Amino acid sequence: MGAIKYNEGDDSFNTVNEAIGVYISQELPDSGVASTQFFKNKMLVVKTIRKGLPFAIFSLIKKITPFSDEDWANYLNLSTKTLQRYKNEQDFLFKPIHTEKILELTEVTNMGVSVFDDLASFHEWLNTSSLALGNNKPAELLQDSYGKELVLAELNRIEHGIFA
């Protein structure tokens, strides 16, 4: 995952960060990482991906991202019915491949909200064709890790005032 700019005052991202950190500290007590430092510790992110993310934390993440249930199903290559079934399974853990995608989309959202200052503006940008991204909508590129990297690179250029 690329560099993430964390907004110390952004309670929604801090809530997710802390929830994942608490989950991991229970599952991996030897991690020695404060819960608010989760996304900054790449080794802990790797361990989390391998362990799997509980649906309860995914629910928190869904609340802070601009993605609908249909978007999530598409990005995770699952049906919306499957996501609903997972929601009802107690102690459900996403597979590592799904956990990685969830964390990647959290990373993109964090960067996007940081660049655009609010979720609504970021959502609008995600769903508008971009010349810099080959006339694709950024949201369309989030299906795979290469596309995600293109989106993060474009967000980084926008943040630094580079629009060509």
Side-chain angles (χ1 to χ4, degrees):
M1 292 184 202
I4 301 176
K5 182 178 179 180
Y6 293 93
N7 302 324
E8 294 302 322
D10 190 341
D11 289 337
S12 56
F13 283 102
N14 287 338
T15 299
V16 168
N17 206 5
E18 188 167 329
I20 295 172
V22 168
Y23 164 68
I24 286 304
S25 68
Q26 292 169 350
E27 298 300 317
L28 303 166
D30 61 335
S31 65
V33 173
S35 58
T36 58
Q37 300 297 309
F38 171 76
F39 278 107
K40 294 178 183 179
N41 184 325
K42 298 302 180 191
M43 191 56 66
L44 202 52
V45 172
V46 168
K47 288 179 181 181
T48 303
I49 289 168
R50 292 179 180 168
K51 172 77 178 150
L53 206 58
F55 197 93
I57 293 176
F58 172 65
S59 291
L60 288 174
I61 290 170
K62 277 179 49 177
K63 291 177 184 176
I64 65 163
T65 62
F67 310 116
S68 68
D69 287 344
E70 291 78 19
D71 292 336
W72 277 108
N74 182 43
Y75 292 140
L76 298 174
N77 200 22
L78 299 168
S79 70
T80 52
K81 272 187 148 179
T82 299
L83 280 177
Q84 285 298 319
R85 191 175 66 246
Y86 290 169
K87 180 180 181 178
N88 296 326
E89 289 180 27
Q90 191 165 358
D91 299 328
F92 175 81
L93 292 177
F94 281 95
K95 293 178 182 177
I97 194 161
H98 297 134
T99 297
E100 183 171 16
K101 179 55 74 175
I102 292 165
L103 295 179
E104 285 179 347
L105 291 171
T106 305
E107 174 186 24
V108 170
T109 299
N110 192 6
M111 178 76 168
V113 170
S114 172
V115 168
F116 289 99
D117 293 325
D118 65 67
L119 191 62
S121 298
F122 173 56
H123 184 260
E124 183 178 335
W125 177 80
L126 274 176
N127 292 292
T128 303
S129 295
S130 169
L131 186 60
L133 297 172
N135 285 323
N136 291 297
K137 295 177 182 176
E140 295 169 346
L141 296 173
L142 295 176
Q143 188 69 34
D144 53 65
S145 60
Y146 286 101
K148 179 211 68 154
E149 290 302 324
L150 289 170
V151 170
L152 284 175
E154 183 61 15
L155 285 169
N156 193 41
R157 284 190 290 276
I158 292 169
E159 182 177 43
H160 290 92
I162 304 167
F163 295 104

